[in-house]
Amino acid sequence: MGRSVLELWLLWSVVMRVMIALPIAYSASSTSSQEALLVSRIAFGSCANQSAPQPIWNAIIDFDPQIFIWLGDNIYGDVRHPFKLFGKERTIGPWKNVPRFIPSSEQEMQSRYKKTKTNPGYSRLLEKTKVIGTWDDHDYGLNDAGKEFNGKITSQRLLLDFLDEPQDSPRRKQAGVYTSYTFGPVGRQIKVILLDTRYHRDPLFSDGSILGSSQWTWLESELKGPASALTIIGSSIQVISNLSAITGPIFYLECWGRFPKERERLFKLIADSKRDGVFFISGDVHFGEITRYDCATGYPLFDITASGITQAVEKAVPPPLNFIVRFVAWLAPTTMRVMGQHCRHKSCTYGQPNFGAIEIDWDATPVTVKMEVRDVNGFPVLSVNTSLLELKARSVGALYSIKPGQYRKHCSLEVTLPWIVRHRLAILFFCALAMLLLTLAGLTFAAISVIRRCLCKDKLD
């Protein structure tokens, strides 16, 4: 009888262990099965002010993406002071005495994340779509901040909470939010690599590091790891375009081009990895753009910029003046922007709210990839069609044989343009400013002359 009781007790222990293990086994199987599902539609976006209306979620949901990727500025977590040239607190000008941006408290950041997460449109997306993401400066905690920012550890925890990252995730233990995912069945896999361009970034104008040594080591292992049909590298800032080279000294934008050694290292790593099907997605700049670089890997490297969900350059000016923004964008002498008939505007940029859309037709021969920037109604405003056959690594030796001074579209960097071409925006701006000042001076002189004549006439009378 004692033996029977012992056997029953052992049997009961085994049954209980199996019962406890079942949910875990089911959960792992479910995750694996989800990742093995064929992915053919991916949406992405950036720059979403939690306090602004966000009607664009309806268009994103109608696109029916299987994955949505946040590319940074998922909230605006810092505090922005208004432009003030005069007064007690001056945020611009040579006598500026307070910073224009300051960090907000942890409680305020949490509140802003909650506001975004409970947005009705975004909540509906969460119900049916896997959401992943990285950050940029405003959700990192401070405008244009890098590794010097003291609040980055707290900001990392808040971002990962917003993204529903598991508590035991390696992202919660490492320095930075970089990560990777692999979706789809073998042979039709999509690898998504999300970079962290904030946590380890050296100061601007330093030509130092963007990723830091640990992230570079990780990225090398990711790119040289198992092959995938497509590899999407998500960067919060633009990789291919270097608009700062042609807009300075009027204004500067953050991008990889401002760290030329880092960008060259990235291109070389991709080329050395012999990895097929790599392209970039990015945000940050408050307009949509598709750029292309042909002289790095032996096949075109595309960068699809979708920015932003709410923030857009044309919203910064009255609607009747939007044509000026488009004219300046058209006049900018970019060497990397994809121009063509699939653009809504002649500049092939889009300065209203937008999101990115990627569609893969796995049944086509060869497999085709459509990369688009879409408007608030879901209509394409910028578009590029390519195929996996075009995104195959080939020899790049001949591509680098460009003679000094020779121009080649999608190959010559903006910094190599002739001085007068590269700085024509600045020349136009300062000429217009000079004309305005001369006009004001002329009007002032005319007004003074009229007043003096009136005073002299009164004296004579």
Coordinates of all heavy atoms in Angstrom, one line a residue, residues 196-248:
D196 N 20.3 52.0 -32.7 CA 20.1 53.0 -31.7 C 21.2 54.1 -32.0 O 22.4 53.9 -31.8 CB 20.4 52.5 -30.3 CG 20.2 53.5 -29.1 OD1 20.3 54.7 -29.4 OD2 20.0 53.1 -28.0
T197 N 20.7 55.3 -32.5 CA 21.6 56.3 -32.9 C 21.7 57.4 -31.9 O 22.1 58.5 -32.2 CB 21.1 57.0 -34.3 OG1 19.8 57.6 -34.0 CG2 20.9 55.9 -35.4
R198 N 21.4 57.1 -30.6 CA 21.4 58.1 -29.6 C 22.3 57.8 -28.4 O 23.1 58.6 -28.0 CB 20.0 58.3 -29.0 CG 19.1 59.0 -30.1 CD 19.5 60.4 -30.3 NE 18.9 60.9 -31.6 CZ 19.2 62.1 -32.1 NH1 20.1 62.8 -31.6 NH2 18.7 62.4 -33.3
Y199 N 22.1 56.5 -27.9 CA 22.7 56.2 -26.6 C 24.3 56.3 -26.6 O 24.9 56.7 -25.6 CB 22.4 54.7 -26.3 CG 22.4 54.4 -24.8 CD1 21.3 54.3 -24.0 CD2 23.6 54.0 -24.2 CE1 21.3 54.0 -22.7 CE2 23.7 53.7 -22.9 CZ 22.6 53.7 -22.1 OH 22.6 53.3 -20.8
H200 N 24.9 56.0 -27.7 CA 26.4 56.1 -27.8 C 26.9 57.1 -28.7 O 28.1 57.2 -29.0 CB 26.9 54.7 -28.3 CG 26.5 53.5 -27.4 ND1 27.1 53.2 -26.2 CD2 25.5 52.6 -27.6 CE1 26.5 52.2 -25.7 NE2 25.5 51.8 -26.5
R201 N 26.0 58.0 -29.2 CA 26.5 59.0 -30.2 C 27.3 60.1 -29.6 O 27.0 60.7 -28.6 CB 25.3 59.6 -30.9 CG 25.6 60.3 -32.2 CD 24.7 61.5 -32.5 NE 25.0 62.5 -31.5 CZ 24.2 63.6 -31.3 NH1 23.0 63.6 -31.8 NH2 24.5 64.5 -30.4
D202 N 28.5 60.3 -30.3 CA 29.4 61.4 -29.9 C 28.7 62.8 -30.3 O 27.8 62.8 -31.1 CB 30.7 61.2 -30.6 CG 31.5 60.1 -30.0 OD1 31.4 59.9 -28.7 OD2 32.3 59.4 -30.7
P203 N 29.3 63.9 -29.8 CA 28.7 65.2 -30.2 C 28.7 65.5 -31.7 O 29.5 65.0 -32.4 CB 29.7 66.2 -29.4 CG 30.3 65.4 -28.3 CD 30.4 64.0 -28.9
L204 N 27.7 66.3 -32.1 CA 27.6 66.7 -33.5 C 28.9 67.5 -33.9 O 29.5 68.1 -33.0 CB 26.4 67.5 -33.7 CG 25.0 66.8 -33.5 CD1 23.9 67.8 -33.5 CD2 24.8 65.8 -34.6
F205 N 29.3 67.4 -35.1 CA 30.5 68.1 -35.7 C 31.8 67.4 -35.2 O 32.8 67.9 -35.5 CB 30.5 69.6 -35.3 CG 29.3 70.4 -35.8 CD1 28.3 70.7 -35.0 CD2 29.3 70.7 -37.2 CE1 27.2 71.4 -35.5 CE2 28.2 71.4 -37.7 CZ 27.2 71.8 -36.8
S206 N 31.7 66.3 -34.5 CA 32.9 65.7 -34.0 C 33.4 64.6 -34.9 O 34.6 64.2 -34.9 CB 32.6 65.0 -32.6 OG 31.8 63.8 -32.8
D207 N 32.6 64.2 -35.9 CA 32.9 63.0 -36.8 C 33.4 61.8 -36.0 O 34.3 61.1 -36.3 CB 34.0 63.4 -37.8 CG 34.1 62.4 -39.0 OD1 33.1 61.6 -39.1 OD2 35.1 62.5 -39.7
G208 N 32.8 61.7 -34.8 CA 33.1 60.5 -33.9 C 32.2 59.3 -34.2 O 32.0 59.0 -35.4
S209 N 31.7 58.7 -33.2 CA 30.9 57.5 -33.4 C 29.4 57.8 -33.2 O 29.0 58.6 -32.4 CB 31.3 56.4 -32.4 OG 30.6 55.2 -32.6
I210 N 28.6 57.1 -34.0 CA 27.1 57.1 -33.8 C 26.7 55.9 -33.0 O 25.9 56.0 -32.0 CB 26.4 57.1 -35.2 CG1 26.6 58.4 -35.9 CG2 24.9 56.9 -34.9 CD1 25.9 58.4 -37.3
L211 N 27.2 54.7 -33.3 CA 26.7 53.5 -32.7 C 27.5 53.1 -31.4 O 26.9 52.4 -30.6 CB 26.8 52.3 -33.7 CG 26.0 52.5 -35.0 CD1 26.0 51.3 -35.8 CD2 24.5 52.9 -34.7
G212 N 28.8 53.4 -31.3 CA 29.6 52.9 -30.2 C 30.1 51.5 -30.5 O 29.5 50.8 -31.3
S213 N 31.2 51.2 -29.8 CA 31.9 49.9 -30.1 C 31.0 48.7 -29.9 O 31.0 47.8 -30.7 CB 33.2 49.8 -29.3 OG 32.9 49.9 -27.9
S214 N 30.3 48.6 -28.8 CA 29.5 47.4 -28.5 C 28.4 47.2 -29.6 O 28.1 46.1 -30.0 CB 28.9 47.5 -27.1 OG 28.0 48.6 -27.0
Q215 N 27.8 48.3 -30.0 CA 26.7 48.2 -31.0 C 27.3 47.8 -32.4 O 26.7 47.1 -33.2 CB 25.9 49.4 -31.1 CG 24.6 49.3 -32.0 CD 23.7 50.5 -32.0 OE1 22.7 50.5 -32.6 NE2 24.1 51.5 -31.2
W216 N 28.5 48.3 -32.7 CA 29.2 48.0 -33.9 C 29.5 46.5 -34.0 O 29.3 45.8 -35.0 CB 30.5 48.8 -34.1 CG 30.3 50.1 -34.8 CD1 30.5 51.3 -34.3 CD2 29.8 50.3 -36.2 NE1 30.2 52.3 -35.3 CE2 29.8 51.7 -36.4 CE3 29.4 49.4 -37.2 CZ2 29.4 52.2 -37.6 CZ3 29.1 49.9 -38.4 CH2 29.0 51.3 -38.6
T217 N 30.0 45.9 -32.9 CA 30.3 44.5 -32.8 C 29.0 43.7 -33.0 O 29.0 42.7 -33.7 CB 30.9 44.2 -31.4 OG1 32.1 44.9 -31.2 CG2 31.2 42.7 -31.3
W218 N 27.9 44.1 -32.3 CA 26.6 43.4 -32.5 C 26.1 43.5 -33.9 O 25.7 42.5 -34.5 CB 25.6 44.0 -31.6 CG 24.2 43.7 -31.8 CD1 23.5 42.5 -31.4 CD2 23.2 44.4 -32.6 NE1 22.2 42.5 -31.9 CE2 22.0 43.7 -32.6 CE3 23.3 45.6 -33.3 CZ2 20.9 44.1 -33.3 CZ3 22.2 46.1 -33.9 CH2 21.0 45.3 -33.9
L219 N 26.2 44.7 -34.6 CA 25.7 44.8 -35.9 C 26.5 44.0 -36.9 O 25.9 43.4 -37.8 CB 25.8 46.3 -36.3 CG 25.3 46.7 -37.8 CD1 23.9 46.3 -38.0 CD2 25.5 48.1 -38.1
E220 N 27.8 43.9 -36.7 CA 28.6 43.0 -37.6 C 28.2 41.6 -37.5 O 28.0 40.9 -38.5 CB 30.1 43.1 -37.2 CG 31.0 42.3 -38.1 CD 32.5 42.5 -37.8 OE1 32.8 43.3 -36.9 OE2 33.3 41.9 -38.5
S221 N 27.9 41.1 -36.3 CA 27.4 39.7 -36.2 C 26.1 39.5 -36.8 O 25.8 38.4 -37.4 CB 27.4 39.3 -34.7 OG 26.4 40.0 -34.0
E222 N 25.2 40.5 -36.7 CA 23.9 40.4 -37.3 C 24.0 40.4 -38.9 O 23.3 39.6 -39.5 CB 23.0 41.6 -36.9 CG 22.6 41.7 -35.5 CD 21.7 40.6 -35.1 OE1 20.8 40.3 -35.9 OE2 21.8 40.0 -34.0
L223 N 24.8 41.2 -39.5 CA 24.9 41.3 -40.9 C 25.6 40.1 -41.5 O 25.4 39.6 -42.6 CB 25.6 42.6 -41.4 CG 24.8 43.8 -41.2 CD1 25.6 45.1 -41.5 CD2 23.5 43.8 -42.1
K224 N 26.6 39.5 -40.7 CA 27.3 38.3 -41.2 C 26.7 37.0 -40.7 O 27.3 36.0 -41.0 CB 28.8 38.4 -40.7 CG 29.5 39.6 -41.4 CD 31.0 39.7 -41.0 CE 31.7 40.8 -41.7 NZ 33.1 40.9 -41.4
G225 N 25.5 37.1 -40.1 CA 24.8 35.9 -39.7 C 24.0 35.3 -40.8 O 24.3 35.6 -42.0
P226 N 23.1 34.4 -40.4 CA 22.3 33.6 -41.5 C 21.7 34.6 -42.5 O 21.2 35.7 -42.1 CB 21.3 32.9 -40.6 CG 21.9 32.8 -39.3 CD 22.7 34.0 -39.1
A227 N 21.6 34.2 -43.7 CA 21.1 35.0 -44.8 C 19.6 35.1 -44.6 O 18.9 34.3 -44.0 CB 21.4 34.4 -46.1
S228 N 19.0 36.2 -45.2 CA 17.6 36.4 -45.3 C 17.3 37.0 -46.7 O 18.2 37.6 -47.3 CB 17.1 37.3 -44.2 OG 17.8 38.5 -44.2
A229 N 16.1 36.8 -47.1 CA 15.7 37.4 -48.5 C 15.8 38.9 -48.5 O 16.3 39.5 -49.4 CB 14.3 36.9 -48.8
L230 N 15.4 39.5 -47.4 CA 15.5 41.0 -47.2 C 16.0 41.3 -45.9 O 15.7 40.6 -44.9 CB 14.1 41.6 -47.4 CG 13.5 41.8 -48.8 CD1 12.0 42.2 -48.7 CD2 14.3 42.7 -49.6
T231 N 16.8 42.4 -45.8 CA 17.2 42.9 -44.5 C 16.9 44.4 -44.5 O 17.4 45.2 -45.3 CB 18.8 42.7 -44.3 OG1 19.0 41.3 -44.4 CG2 19.2 43.3 -43.0
I232 N 16.0 44.8 -43.5 CA 15.6 46.2 -43.4 C 16.4 46.7 -42.2 O 16.2 46.2 -41.1 CB 14.1 46.3 -43.2 CG1 13.4 45.6 -44.3 CG2 13.7 47.7 -43.0 CD1 11.9 45.5 -44.1
I233 N 17.2 47.8 -42.4 CA 17.9 48.4 -41.3 C 17.2 49.7 -41.0 O 17.1 50.6 -41.8 CB 19.3 48.7 -41.7 CG1 20.1 47.4 -42.0 CG2 20.1 49.4 -40.6 CD1 21.5 47.6 -42.4
G234 N 16.6 49.8 -39.8 CA 15.9 51.0 -39.3 C 16.8 51.9 -38.6 O 17.4 51.5 -37.6
S235 N 16.9 53.1 -39.1 CA 17.8 54.2 -38.4 C 16.9 55.4 -38.2 O 16.1 55.8 -39.1 CB 18.9 54.6 -39.3 OG 19.5 55.7 -38.9
S236 N 16.9 55.9 -37.0 CA 16.1 57.1 -36.7 C 16.4 58.3 -37.5 O 15.6 59.1 -37.8 CB 16.1 57.4 -35.2 OG 17.4 57.9 -34.9
I237 N 17.7 58.4 -37.9 CA 18.1 59.5 -38.8 C 18.5 59.0 -40.2 O 18.8 57.8 -40.3 CB 19.3 60.3 -38.2 CG1 20.5 59.3 -37.9 CG2 18.9 61.0 -36.9 CD1 21.7 60.0 -37.4
Q238 N 18.4 59.9 -41.2 CA 18.7 59.5 -42.6 C 20.1 58.9 -42.7 O 21.1 59.5 -42.2 CB 18.4 60.6 -43.5 CG 17.0 61.0 -43.6 CD 16.8 62.1 -44.7 OE1 17.4 63.2 -44.6 NE2 15.9 61.8 -45.7
V239 N 20.2 57.9 -43.5 CA 21.5 57.3 -43.8 C 22.1 57.8 -45.1 O 23.3 58.2 -45.2 CB 21.4 55.7 -43.8 CG1 22.8 55.1 -44.1 CG2 20.9 55.2 -42.5
I240 N 21.3 57.7 -46.2 CA 21.9 58.1 -47.5 C 21.9 59.6 -47.7 O 23.0 60.1 -48.2 CB 21.0 57.4 -48.6 CG1 20.9 55.9 -48.4 CG2 21.5 57.8 -50.0 CD1 22.2 55.2 -48.5
S241 N 20.9 60.3 -47.5 CA 20.8 61.7 -47.7 C 21.7 62.5 -46.7 O 21.7 62.2 -45.6 CB 19.4 62.2 -47.7 OG 19.3 63.6 -47.9
N242 N 22.3 63.5 -47.2 CA 23.1 64.4 -46.4 C 22.7 65.9 -46.7 O 23.5 66.6 -47.3 CB 24.6 64.2 -46.6 CG 25.5 65.1 -45.7 OD1 25.0 65.6 -44.7 ND2 26.8 65.2 -46.0
L243 N 21.5 66.2 -46.4 CA 21.0 67.6 -46.7 C 21.8 68.7 -46.0 O 21.8 69.8 -46.5 CB 19.5 67.7 -46.4 CG 18.6 66.9 -47.3 CD1 17.1 67.0 -46.9 CD2 18.7 67.4 -48.8
S244 N 22.4 68.3 -44.9 CA 23.1 69.4 -44.2 C 24.3 69.9 -45.0 O 24.7 71.1 -44.8 CB 23.7 68.8 -42.8 OG 22.6 68.6 -41.9
A245 N 24.8 69.1 -45.9 CA 25.9 69.5 -46.7 C 25.5 70.6 -47.7 O 26.3 71.3 -48.2 CB 26.5 68.3 -47.5
I246 N 24.2 70.7 -48.0 CA 23.7 71.7 -48.9 C 22.8 72.8 -48.3 O 22.5 73.8 -48.9 CB 23.0 71.0 -50.1 CG1 21.8 70.1 -49.6 CG2 23.9 70.2 -50.9 CD1 21.1 69.4 -50.7
T247 N 22.4 72.5 -47.0 CA 21.6 73.6 -46.4 C 22.4 74.4 -45.4 O 21.9 75.5 -45.0 CB 20.4 72.9 -45.6 OG1 21.0 72.0 -44.6 CG2 19.5 72.1 -46.5
G248 N 23.6 74.0 -45.0 CA 24.4 74.8 -44.2 C 24.9 76.0 -44.9 O 25.1 75.9 -46.1

